[in-house]
Amino acid sequence: MRIIIVRHAEPDYEHNTITPRGFKEAHVLADRLMKEKIDYVYVSPLGRALDTAKEYLKRSKKPYEILDYIKEFNYLVKDELTGKEKIPWDFQVEYFTSLKHIYDQSYLKNPLFKNSKVETGYKYVTQNFSRLLKKHGYQKHKKYFKVLKENDDTLLFICHLGVECVLLSYLLNIPYVVLAQHIGFTPSSVSIIYTEERIPGIAQFRAQCLGDISHLYKNDMKPSFMGRFREKASDNTRS
């Protein structure tokens, strides 16, 4: 089985949609997705994800299901460095790297998440995702997956940066905050994860690509800067 996770195109948060540039991204994204064998489509209920999916759905005429639990993962935590509440990634690097256990599997027990709904939210997303995967033939057991019904189906998810990291965390056994802190999932980027079943009945998921934007480069489009920070402190870009 393959799983394709797409972050929505460049967002217009104020109007719950995507920008004019975002619609161009969605168009070339659809070109790419039309070349894939996609069997099931799942979309976030938020406007920026639905508008990203619209061009592909129009061309492919595929049915799709809206999943409430893959809307943006935006639970807040208190940043001790600034005293402000924020999403639980994009921290100043000296603070994030100093957090105890943040890079191992007990990361949700870090005091950073105390008095927040992050752990509850993580369980809500992954428990629902687990039920969906089981329906498609794969059930998580410890840190691998039991194969209930092997298949070569492809599942497409069109969602958001935060929840993409949660889904990848569940599949790859990596703390989601580490993924969100260290991997820049550009708007309209594509991640592909597939199963490997070397022993009958036992599978793992392996990432083929994370945050790929070759469809943008193919069409001479520079990646959006949204979701990024400046490369150098002297840059006059987002800080």
Side-chain angles (χ1 to χ4, degrees):
M1 186 172 74
R2 289 195 315 154
I3 294 175
I4 300 177
I5 306 175
V6 174
R7 184 189 175 192
H8 58 74
E10 186 177 79
D12 176 349
Y13 293 111
E14 182 182 356
H15 300 100
N16 192 31
T17 182
I18 51 181
T19 65
R21 179 208 151 84
F23 280 101
K24 292 178 183 177
E25 290 177 0
H27 183 88
V28 299
L29 171 67
D31 291 341
R32 175 177 183 170
L33 294 177
M34 286 299 293
K35 296 175 183 177
E36 299 279 358
K37 181 191 83 70
I38 295 172
D39 302 287
Y40 299 90
V41 183
Y42 300 103
V43 187
S44 157
L46 300 184
R48 54 191 182 274
L50 289 167
D51 286 339
T52 300
K54 192 176 296 182
E55 180 67 21
Y56 168 70
L57 294 173
K58 182 177 76 172
R59 292 195 218 171
S60 68
K61 296 181 171 52
K62 286 191 175 292
Y64 67 98
E65 185 176 348
I66 293 176
L67 301 179
D68 183 72
Y69 65 87
I70 62 169
K71 64 185 179 183
E72 186 57 278
F73 193 82
N74 56 3
Y75 300 91
L76 300 178
V77 298
K78 185 178 180 181
D79 180 355
E80 297 296 336
L81 201 65
T82 64
K84 297 180 180 179
E85 285 198 324
K86 59 175 293 179
I87 55 174
W89 59 85
D90 285 346
F91 291 103
Q92 295 288 359
V93 64
E94 74 276 16
Y95 173 65
F96 184 80
T97 55
S98 72
L99 294 173
K100 190 176 182 180
H101 300 305
I102 205 71
Y103 285 90
D104 63 43
Q105 290 297 319
S106 61
Y107 69 102
L108 285 172
K109 300 303 180 184
N110 187 280
L112 175 69
F113 303 110
K114 187 179 180 180
N115 301 322
S116 80
K117 296 181 180 179
V118 170
E119 185 170 9
T120 301
Y122 184 88
K123 288 179 179 177
Y124 168 69
V125 173
T126 56
Q127 285 172 358
N128 279 283
F129 188 47
S130 177
R131 283 192 280 269
L132 182 67
L133 292 180
K134 184 178 180 181
K135 186 176 106 174
H136 286 287
Y138 294 83
Q139 182 175 23
K140 194 163 191 180
H141 176 72
K142 298 181 179 178
K143 290 183 171 61
Y144 62 89
F145 288 80
K146 291 182 178 179
V147 181
L148 307 178
K149 182 181 179 182
E150 66 177 20
N151 63 78
D152 58 1
D153 290 344
T154 298
L155 283 55
L156 171 64
F157 295 82
I158 299 180
C159 52
H160 311 266
L161 185 155
V163 79
E164 175 173 0
C165 292
V166 172
L167 301 183
L168 289 171
S169 167
Y170 184 76
L171 295 171
L172 305 177
N173 302 306
I174 300 171
Y176 93 91
V177 287
V178 172
L179 291 166
Q181 180 79 15
H182 289 288
I183 299 181
F185 291 102
T186 300
S188 85
S189 62
V190 176
S191 298
I192 301 176
I193 308 94
Y194 59 86
T195 54
E196 289 184 337
E197 188 184 353
R198 286 174 281 180
I199 298 173
I202 297 176
Q204 73 163 8
F205 281 91
R206 175 168 280 177
Q208 183 180 59
C209 64
L210 294 176
D212 182 67
I213 49 172
S214 57
H215 55 288
L216 299 181
Y217 290 123
K218 181 181 177 182
N219 289 276
D220 298 320
M221 294 180 67
K222 292 183 178 180
S224 170
F225 203 80
M226 294 192 74
R228 287 186 57 191
F229 293 84
R230 59 193 179 193
E231 292 182 29
K232 309 187 300 293
S234 58
D235 286 346
N236 293 319
T237 52
R238 183 182 171 195
S239 59

